Amino acid sequence: MDSSPPEGDVMSGPLLEAVGVSIQFGGLKALSDFNLSIHKGDLQGLIGPNGAGKTTAFNVLTGVYQPTQGEVRVSGQRVNGWLPHQINHLGLARTFQNIRLFRALTALDNVKVACRGQGALHPEGVGLGAKVRGAVRNYQDWWRALLLTPGFQAEERELTQQAEHLLEVMGLTHRRNEEARNLPYGEQRRLEIARALGTRPKVLLLDEPAAGMNTREKADLMVLIRKIRDDFNLGILVIEHDMKLVMGICEKITVLDHGETIARGEPAEVRNDRKVIEAYLGDSYLESQGGAA
Amino acid sequence: EKKSQPAPSGDKAQGGQAAQPATAGGAPAETNTLLLGVVTSLSGTQATFGSSTRNGIDLALKEANAAGGVKGKKLEMRVYDNQGKPEEAAQATTRLITQDKALLILGDVASSNSLAMADKAQAAGVPMITHSSTNPSVTEKGDYIFRVCFIDPFQGFVMAKFARENLKIGQVAILQDNKSAYSIGLTEVFTRAFTEMGGKIPATESYSQGDTDFRAQLTTIKKTKPQAIYVPGYYNDVGLIARQARELGLTTPMLGGDGWDSEKLFELAGDALDGSYFSNHYSPGNSDPKVQKFIADYKAAYGGEPDAFAALSYDAAKVAIAALEKAKDVSGPSIRDAIAQTKDFPGVAGTITLDEKRNAVKSAAILKVAKGKTEFVTTVNP
Amino acid sequence: MSEAQVKVLGERREFPPLLTVDGVKVSYGAIQALKGVTLKVGKGEVVALIGANGAGKTSTLRAVSGMLKPVGGRITLSGEDTTGAKAHTLVPRGMAHAPEGRGIFPNLTVLENLELGAYLRDDADGIAADMEKSYGLFPKLRERRKQLAGTLSGGEQQMLAIARALLSRPKLLLLDEPSLGLAPQVTETIFRNLRDVNAAGVSILLVEQNAHLALNFAHYGYVLETGEVVMAGPGKALLESPEIRKAYLGE
Amino acid sequence: MQTVAAVSSGSGSSSGVPAPLRGILPVLVALPVLLALEWLLSDSPFAIYLLSIMGVNVILAVSLNIVNGMTGQFSIGHAGFMAVGAYIAGVTSLALKDVALSFLPVGVSDQVFLFVALLVGGSASALAGFLVGLPSLRLRGDYLAIVTLGFGEIIRVVVTNTEAFGRALGLSGIPQTSSMAMVGFWVFLVVLTARRIAGSSHGRSLWAIREDEVAAEAMGVNTTGYKVRAFVISSFFAGVAGGLFAHFVPIINPGSFTFVKSMEIVVMVVLGGLGSTTGAIVAAVFLTLLPEGLRSAFTTFGSGSNLAQQVDQIRMPVYGMLLVVLMLARPQGLFGTKEFWEVVPRWIPRRRKGM
Amino acid sequence: MSQLFQHLINGIATGTIYALVALGYTMVYGVLKLINFAHGDVMMVGVYMGYATALMLGRQAQSSPWGVLLIFLVAMGGCALMGFLIERFAYRPLREKPRLTALITAIGISFTLSYGFQLDIGFLPGSAPRAFPQIIKPVQWFTLGDPEFPDVVLWNWQVLSLLVAVVLMMGLQYLVYRTRFGRAMRAVSFDHRVAALMGIPTDRVISLTFMIGSALAAGAGLLYAIKDTSVSPLMGLYVGLKAFVAAVIGGIGNVPGAVVGALLLGLVEEFVVGYAASTWRDAVAFGFLILVLLVRPGGLFGRVAAEKV
Ligand SMILES: Nc1ncnc2c1ncn2[C@@H]1O[C@H](COP(=O)(O)OP(=O)(O)OP(=O)(O)O)[C@@H](O)[C@H]1O
Ligand SMILES: Nc1ncnc2c1ncn2[C@@H]1O[C@H](COP(=O)(O)OP(=O)(O)OP(=O)(O)O)[C@@H](O)[C@H]1O
Ligand SMILES: [Mg+2]
Ligand SMILES: [Mg+2]
């Protein structure tokens, strides 16, 4: 794809769309006929028992795995066969279930790696022409870096500010110069979100962001996620096993089991869906909710 | 002008000038010893030649010092290892010349190292004598570079002549060491000479220094049913080649060059080489008293038979000492001129006369291997 | 560094002593993670360890199981001093640790991982029986028996880690956030089964973010803050206390 | 990676120099210094030779550090690239031997041609780097390592069998036009390049790749592209180093570019601290001087005795043991992943980081 | 035709040696993920130990069954001890550190050994190669063509070493994949900290692996010396490198892979030398390696560790 992607708000269509996506690992069908569409400002949830295929879904959407069937579209562009970084350039960013930070880099650098100046966003796309152009631009970039051109320095400064801002949003300013590997678990998760935001995504995929946080921190996180959605106005898709969180913030929830989509809808519907309760929530959940609510 | 060093082929004038600061810089005056620099490979595949070289020179110096030294001063040598690498050789030579203020450089066996050394010596205007670099190009480096052994073309020719005329054979396969210029050089000359004399070369195979398995090449050679195999390599490979050839049922005699010469050869080859011939600078069997004395002294000092490299380095040192004696002073140019005049110098490895190309004009000995010893067969004159 | 005064609520039920951790200090290079932690676990007791991120819960477990050497303090396991003992020497003495980050062997199959859990045992049929038990506990693992553990889903890996720890037939079981990444249903099953495990006489030292769950489950609980124990008391008592409700239950 | 944090914060920092100039400022500063050096040393050939070797090693170490240290790829075939540069540059110079720019003084015109030859050699090597870099798209860790090693060996075989390269004897007669100024200039250039890459988003991307390729991809880093580029840049400078080498060593032959040489370069990088440019420099200088140092040390015990003569052999085993000891003493390398001025505090002006 | 046979025999014989050395390489790599560059040099030292023993035994004893056994025992035992010491003092202190650091110490040790043995000071042998005594009397087990000037020769030691290699391979395979110790090895190789939590004495496992690997190296070295009838300080460098290549071709860390890779490499080299120019042998060998890796990035039998994102 050569022309840079059309802006989300210009077009009314979904920013992220999966149509009949399936993937197979050897004999195991980890995801089958998966459909999803996320628009700007959406805040959706993806839940299901362990091994249902949630993370796999993320991997297919972000290009880590190639779907064996179906089609993935990011802001209208078909991205089957694209590399993860190309898809990311189209505006799709994610966090990882088992944290994958750049462990030896400082928190700030972790974010800066992802950050890109407005100008510098150039999806290389596929096709020769685009590749060549991309390469040329790249080499220009190298030269600007080597010659330390004023423009380059300005950009560096901008990146730093951008990154610092994101750290602030995530409440990590005090860890600015600490190596990522030395941060406690919960903060590492927040840092991953900050990093993902650095790539200026239109859609953000969060894989169990609340894992390893205590109830209090989860409560804060809920607020934070909403805030991100509004401030950066993007679409968000959350995988989470904490029902309080999912039910609390998601407007729409998709439920997977053994790769199949067994339910989709408002929290209220899903919560009371027989199949979902059997496969995932468990009866006791109802009581506990009843008790809590 | 100062910036760029004189080109390797550097004209004498420049070399001479550059020499002034380097050698005649009064350094020798201060000390009451005359320093000879030696660069050779003390580690790496050719290290054994290095130690022979060192011993030969050491012996010559000991004798000279015992005899009261030169110009009333004691002779001293400093040996540096070049690990068989040109850049190390160049570095060591430069150090010897500029830091240690050596008057004269001796070495090395491998021609590529000698070439590197020659370049530096020539540039600095310090005379250098190589005792056994048989590649012609070495002395072509300039007027400060000398050699006390015959050169590859001659040696290759000698063996071809011997094979054709004395042994009367017409089919000789060749197994050359692809990693040594020496071996490649001999191969070229031998092939040319031998075919000119009407012989045939059914196969030319090659190996790489340090290999230990030559069966593949030998299997191929064997197919061509040659009457002899010319193996112009170094003894440490030749020994194994011989064994494995016999093991594969190749019983034809082998022919070789001075690279063969080492007592270790027979330890490695066992009886596999019996009936083979090689060309050499000298023959231990030579009854000449001066040779026998050398051999005796060498054995006494270092144990073990001296090989050609020991003998040649001994001669080289002797020539150098004689030149130092003759030279009016110890500046580079005068030593150079003194060496250049060397004529009919009685070396243990043959009489040395330097021609205008600064190469020794010498006869070669053909030796036959029998029961782990060498027998003198004949000498071939240029 | 002096012990911060610990606020103790309520009465502790008596258990015969098993593990005592006395003023243990741990540091990673410059960072001091534990500034002197003191706690006890009795035979057959379930003790919960709660605290904010970076409080030092994981570090405490690591120190106890010998994964890292304390720079100060003393640890004893059933009377013997085990301070700074190598991890593998503690396993025979009944220590089992399901570490943070699960620590499964990704290039080994699920089965091989479980077998490694029983590395020091050689009662073949005993092992077989326990395998069956853990499969009963986590049916998913049976399905995936032959799969490389590295390709399991997050939750499946968590199940594997717990099952593996149980396979060594421990006297003392250290669990670092067992519910991490598990579906609510599975979490319940696990805790139900841990109840049985404990009933069979196994002591459990549990680190858990879900304070509600943990304190309900545990006989006794400690609250860790920035490397020090600041509060202790029976699980229920802690659940009652306003501080806890505010700080960890977000109410 | 404090480096980067420091750099990015440093680069913005106000320094007297006007921004447009700052890019080339170091060059302007360096040139006169180099010329002065040239003039000072001009009649001590040994110092020149030693410094040249040192310079070449520094270039090799710093350039390899871009691949091994920053990108976390594992290349042990650097000598191969060096060989490519050495032979191509050498052949070029031989071809240009008799031409001269009449309007320039001899010395200068020599340098011009040398520079051209170096560029040619460097480019050839960069091309080779590109080709070797391609497999790195598929291979990881030690598999990539062995491929690079294999490449180096293949180069050597090719040279050994090519008449134009002088085969086993080697290529001699290359005009020995290398000069302190030229060596110094390239040393300086490679360091500058490395530092500035480190200080840019490119450097961060390389580090990201080293830390976690999957995550880097997901964060929009074109990992394959960056890996190949790292290889290209690194091998370009290796080629230049080779080119310089060929212009002060009278004869170059395959024996000088064995995988042992590659190993020596890797040693320099690791010893200096993976990712630390200044570390690589210090290590390279140290390891180059070490053998000569041992030589001086040994020759001081009385010569003449048999041991004194054998002494030169003892250098290499000693060198080997020193490696072990040094690594045990400082496993993270001299400076870890940090830079000189972050380890040796204060007294280096902070601005220097921007360089 | 007969020539082809001979080349096949030679190739397999060479490959066998590579295989034996490669097995040790692969084992050490398997558990430590460390390219033990000193492996070849350990082998070399082992051979010198055997050499010394043989000389002490003298002509008769050295070729008697007991003599041969003793020679092998001394060499392998000596190397096992050496391997233990090297691991204990040069590698273990660096276990928590980046892998490259251990690689450097490996290189350091390699230099120390290979250059150290070139000295002719004290007990050190000096750089000259020595003829290795024929402790196994070479016997032609099979010849083709007239017995005087046979076209094809098959020697007893060729068959012998191939058998040894295959048996060892099966033994190791069993050890690594069927025994508790093997499981421990593989656990340690992934994460020794967690392995310790399983009650695995990591240090002992690693030491033992190293000792086995080094002993194998010694054994391989002796067969190598018997085959090529010589021993020299530099023999390890070259064979070590080739064995490593072989191990990688087969998929480093994989036991049968090492053997298959080695035999393939041996044959490729033999045929290049036999039918093409020997000067291109190494180039072709490495070209072959690269080709294999491009087609199968994990080597022939190796699997690239499945990584769950
Ligand atoms: N690379 C792979 N190879 C083989 N099987 C895989 C692979 N990746 C995932 N699977 C299988 O696919 C299924 C779905 O995995 P996935 O990680 O998507 O589950 P999940 O929904 O994220 O579960 P959890 O909530 O525990 O993370 C699992 O059973 C897992 O074993
Ligand atoms: N490997 C390490 N290197 C350096 N510092 C570390 C390391 N591991 C933990 N720390 C630091 O030690 C302190 C305690 O960490 P620890 O993991 O024990 O806390 P925790 O209570 O387990 O946190 P979490 O609830 O997130 O797991 C934290 O400040 C953390 O930054
Ligand atoms: Mg998941
Ligand atoms: Mg923790």
Side-chain angles (χ1 to χ4, degrees), chain A residues 54-56 97 207-208 239, chain C residues 153-155, chain E residues 308:
Chain A
K54 305 181 295 294
T55 302
T56 305
Q97 177 172 11
D207 198 341
E208 302 197 15
I239 294 179
Chain C
S153 85
Chain E
K308 172 76 159 62

Side-chain angles (χ1 to χ4, degrees), chain A residues 158-176:
Chain A
E158 180 201 327
L159 290 186
T160 316
Q161 285 155 6
Q162 195 182 335
E164 279 165 340
H165 170 146
L166 288 172
L167 285 181
E168 197 184 329
V169 173
M170 288 292 142
L172 293 170
T173 313
H174 62 295
R175 297 287 196 180
R176 188 181 186 280

